[in-house]
Structures are given as structure tokens and as C-alpha cells.
Amino acid sequence: EDIRILAQRLHHLGKLGVNATWSLSQLSRFDFEGEREFLHEHAERVEYKLRPNYANVDDKAAAGLSWIYRQAARANQRLFLS
């Protein structure tokens, strides 16, 4: 994402009276593997129709998004992905 666009969104939200913040995060290999394990233990496995033997819990993006949302939940925050 272009940081200038993020800054513009933040400015626009502030004009609307929304108390918004943003941050950049980098998921470590250790955290990534932990999140994949979390998904395998806690999420329902749903196989992709177009990719046999591959499921949501195997998807790298699912692990990343899970980590992002769980970080926000731990901080008692809501988030919107763009």
C-alpha cells in the first residue's frame, strides 16, 4: 500500500470525526508458523474447489490475516483492511 494514500485516508477519517490510527507490522517466521498451527487447531478446514488437497488453513494469506486480526483483538481494537 502507498503510505501517502494511507495518510490521506487517515486525514479524511479525522475530518469525519473518526479516531483512527494505522501501523505497519511484519510477521516473523516464528509467528507465522504459530498462526498456521492456531488455524489448524481452531478453524474449520475448507478445501478450495479449484485447488484439490489445499484448504483455507493451508493458505499463507489466511495465516497472515489471522495474525493481524488477533493482534487487533488483543489490543481491543477494530480494524479495516484496505
Side-chain angles (χ1 to χ4, degrees):
E1 184 82 58
D2 187 325
I3 291 179
R4 292 172 296 184
I5 292 173
L6 291 173
Q8 290 172 355
R9 287 182 186 154
L10 197 60
H11 176 74
H12 178 71
L13 289 170
K15 287 172 43 177
L16 295 174
V18 176
N19 181 16
T21 61
W22 65 278
S23 66
L24 297 175
S25 299
Q26 185 171 354
L27 183 61
S28 70
R29 171 60 66 185
F30 178 80
D31 287 336
F32 176 78
E33 292 301 333
E35 207 60 40
R36 287 187 79 174
E37 185 177 319
F38 172 83
L39 288 174
H40 279 275
E41 292 175 3
H42 293 80
E44 178 183 1
R45 180 180 174 81
V46 179
E47 288 205 14
Y48 295 150
K49 290 182 181 182
L50 298 177
R51 198 165 170 192
N53 300 319
Y54 192 74
N56 59 324
V57 295
D58 305 318
D59 195 319
K60 292 177 184 177
L65 289 171
S66 176
W67 182 83
I68 289 168
Y69 274 101
R70 288 181 355 113
Q71 293 296 310
R74 285 185 191 117
N76 200 30
Q77 296 177 331
R78 294 185 309 168
L79 58 89
F80 301 91
L81 297 178
S82 65

